[in-house]
Amino acid sequence: MDRASPPAPASPAVLDIEASGFGAGSYPIEVGFVLPDGRGYCSLIRPQPHWTRWDDSAEAIHGISRSTLLAHGRPVAEVTRLLDSHLRGLSVFSDGWGHDYSWLHQLYDAAGARLSFRLQCLRSLLDEEAARRWRAAKAEVLARTGMQRHRASADARVLQLTWMALQARTPA
């Protein structure tokens, strides 16, 4: 009798945040995520009046200007409600956990809200072999998909696709 193959592991929900810069005084400017079923979401965040630190080198990477945020960013309370409506109760993974955790809490504090999901480090999903192969697998995903835009939802999708590619190569 043939044994049934074990089911493929579910893809993780992945979140990424773009910010005004790094370090003290930086703040979230865009948040994006991809759900386990592949649906994604992204939103620009309107800066709070006291969020003023701007790093031109960060803008050179993500391509989002402060004037774009002021014109098209959503209020922090709206962004947190939308995140909660999609992510409530989930474990959500980030490759830049230290920064993203801080920026996510800054966003929620500004909105006077509490996270309804758990942010975890994407590395916790990888065994040593997968961690060793991560860079090469990510480069293959970028080459195959042509996704080069450094924006929150695109980065989250690349991370999820990289994890999926590594899982497909992992022997059972």
Side-chain angles (χ1 to χ4, degrees), residues 133-148 158 161-162 165-166 169:
R133 295 187 339 230
W134 181 265
R135 276 196 183 167
K138 185 176 177 185
E140 288 175 20
V141 166
L142 288 168
R144 181 174 34 99
T145 63
M147 294 173 69
Q148 297 297 326
V158 166
L161 291 171
T162 302
L166 288 169
R169 292 185 198 146

Side-chain angles (χ1 to χ4, degrees), residues 46-95:
R46 184 177 307 138
Q48 296 292 286
H50 62 281
W51 291 357
T52 57
R53 180 172 175 263
W54 192 259
D55 185 339
D56 291 333
S57 62
E59 181 179 339
I61 294 170
H62 52 60
I64 303 167
S65 69
R66 186 165 166 86
S67 61
T68 297
L69 296 175
L70 294 171
H72 303 289
R74 291 181 171 158
V76 294
E78 182 180 335
V79 174
T80 59
R81 279 193 304 272
L82 288 166
L83 288 170
D84 289 340
S85 72
H86 293 285
L87 302 176
R88 185 175 312 281
L90 294 178
S91 288
V92 182
F93 295 87
S94 164
D95 72 330

Side-chain angles (χ1 to χ4, degrees), residues 20-51:
S20 66
F22 288 101
S26 65
Y27 52 90
I29 64 168
E30 183 182 52
V31 62
F33 63 82
V34 180
L35 295 169
D37 65 8
R39 288 180 296 141
Y41 168 82
C42 195
S43 179
L44 294 173
I45 302 164
R46 184 177 307 138
Q48 296 292 286
H50 62 281
W51 291 357

